[in-house]
């Protein structure tokens, strides 16, 4: 059973069409939830860290929120340059490793 | 640019061979992590070093080994390579083990 599940697997939006990506997790003892952006063939680029339920973080057109069992990445009025795979990862228990979901591939059409 | 550097960018080799991947963490970061990314498995944690000492191991094969040197750079050694080892290998670093990890550009390994 996957510990981190992201949905949808792929999302196609028109420029300016806002939407949300979901990341649900089944681990206990969450220490942190991390969002990354990854362009093809590149390394993941850090976006946000969320530590506790109710926390929210924003950066330009992106806003990340956290509840007890899931996180959302809201994209407001996206642009074509927001096209990428968005990865969610959790750190839990006594471990410092990141456990990743399989990502959501976002395509924003002009 | 995350500040994490990895060399080489690309590596093409044959089955049965041995290769070494190198990573330099961001200035000031003591923790180094290695991850493998393949199409079907996503990003998988391999191993973590903290200030020269091994701290955690993930699903790392016995054919793979790593070390972190006194200057904090790290090397991942892959031996007896198989076709299935073809993947992107990423190094990440963090100040300590509790904060966000910053990823390097990766090494694309192709085993023929």
């Amino acid at each position: 059973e996957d510990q981190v599940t992201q949905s949808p697997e792929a999302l196609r939006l028109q420029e300016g069409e806002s939407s949300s990506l979901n990341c649900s997790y089944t681990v206990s003892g969450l220490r942190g939830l991390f969002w990354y952006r990854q362009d093809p063939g590149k390394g993941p680029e850090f976006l946000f860290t969320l530590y506790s339920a109710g926390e929210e973080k924003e950066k330009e057109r992106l806003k990340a929120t956290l509840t007890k069992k899931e996180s959302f990445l809201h994209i407001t009025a996206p642009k074509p340059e927001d096209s990428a795979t968005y990865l969610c990862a959790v750190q839990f228990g006594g471990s410092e490793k990141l456990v990743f979901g399989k990502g959501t591939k976002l395509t924003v059409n002009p | 640019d995350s500040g994490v550097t990895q060399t080489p960018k690309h590596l093409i080799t044959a089955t049965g061979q041995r290769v070494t991947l190198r990573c330099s963490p961001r200035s000031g970061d003591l923790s180094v992590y290695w991850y493998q990314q393949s199409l079907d498995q996503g990003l998988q944690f391999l191993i973590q070093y903290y200030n020269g000492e091994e701290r955690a191991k993930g699903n790392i094969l016995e054919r793979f080994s790593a070390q972190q040197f006194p200057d904090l750079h790290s090397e991942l050694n892959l031996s007896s390579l198989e076709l299935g080892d073809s993947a992107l290998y990423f190094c990440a670093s963090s100040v300590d083990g509790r904060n966000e990890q910053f990823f390097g550009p990766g090494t694309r390994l192709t085993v023929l």
Side-chain angles (χ1 to χ4, degrees), chain A residues 73-93:
Chain A
L73 184 66
H74 308 277
I75 303 177
T76 301
K79 298 182 177 182
E81 53 262 42
D82 294 322
S83 297
T85 295
Y86 289 84
L87 298 168
C88 166
V90 298
Q91 198 178 54
F92 62 97

Side-chain angles (χ1 to χ4, degrees), chain A residues 34-35 37 43-44 50 55-57 59 69 74-75 83 85 93 96 105:
Chain A
F34 303 82
W35 282 98
R37 169 197 169 122
L50 301 166
E55 191 174 358
E56 298 182 352
K57 294 233 175 120
K59 179 181 177 180
K69 283 300 173 189
H74 308 277
I75 303 177
S83 297
T85 295
E96 295 168 359
K105 183 176 180 181

